[in-house]
Amino acid sequence: MRTRHLALGLRFAAGGGREGWVRTILTAVGVALGAMLLLAAASIPHVLDARQQRGDARTAIEGAKPVARSSATLLYARTETSFRGDAITGALLRPDGPDAPAPPGVRELPHSGEMVVSPALKELLTSPEGKLLRERLHFTTVGTIGQPGLTGPGELTYYAGSDTLSTAHGAHRLARFGVGTKPPPLNPMLLVTIIVACVVLLMPVAIFIATAVRFGGERRDRRLAALRLVGADVPMVRWMAAGEALFGAVVGLLLGTAMFLALRQFVASVTLWDVSS
């Protein structure tokens, strides 16, 4: 019986005339904004965790004891530079044998004088602005680093091969890449920032939804009063009113989910506090 009353409320929302449709559309827009915001907030910890895992997977492990040279080891030396205010990180590699491990996102270790670069660095090197940087990175680009080896799409990093690399030049020998530690918990300050941002952004959305629900309220109240006059009791009227509000909420939820799925394709191009997805 309650399902019938709820369905009748949905019918009123769908066939309530121009005022009913305006109220439904406004409610749906408000709910869509709120749903999109909550979905975005819920995805932030996952984005940061995935970024942390990719960073850990490419970390060069230097144990307490020196690694014995074998066909499955390589020499590794980290390099850093900057170009017009942007940090550029890299590493020099010299494999000890054919079974030397490759960093995540790199299919084949570069030979001496060659390098594999991130897509963002490749774009910079091929642009007219990157002429001075090409002179500084005197290696031939032979490939790009895949997504598993990058902490973000805008990262400027590279791996270069060098046959002159040695432990005397500060390099250390590796048997593998990656660390097995658990990801650190979410920064409390970042968590508080997310909560405060959600509350601040949701307040106007809640006010908008409340205003939208009251739009055309006089006509709806008259309809509900007429239902009371023909014998509908208070619970029946409440279920019908709930069904009418549910229609706009469901439409808004679907719309908000669709908006979130569409906009997340562009999240990769956004960088906040040097953090991107």
Side-chain angles (χ1 to χ4, degrees), residues 136-159:
R136 193 186 310 176
L137 300 179
H138 49 280
F139 301 98
T140 302
T141 302
V142 295
T144 57
I145 303 173
Q147 183 181 3
L150 302 172
T151 58
E155 186 178 15
L156 303 175
T157 188
Y158 67 92
Y159 294 103

Side-chain angles (χ1 to χ4, degrees), residues 40-73:
S43 65
I44 290 177
H46 173 72
V47 170
L48 295 178
D49 182 57
R51 182 179 186 274
Q52 180 68 36
Q53 289 181 6
R54 292 195 299 269
D56 291 343
R58 70 179 188 183
T59 301
I61 299 176
E62 184 178 5
K65 297 181 179 179
V67 177
R69 179 175 179 175
S70 69
S71 62
T73 59

Side-chain angles (χ1 to χ4, degrees), residues 11-24 219 223:
R11 183 179 176 183
F12 287 154
R18 184 179 63 86
E19 291 184 357
W21 273 108
V22 171
R23 180 173 61 252
T24 299
R219 182 176 179 181
R223 181 173 62 247

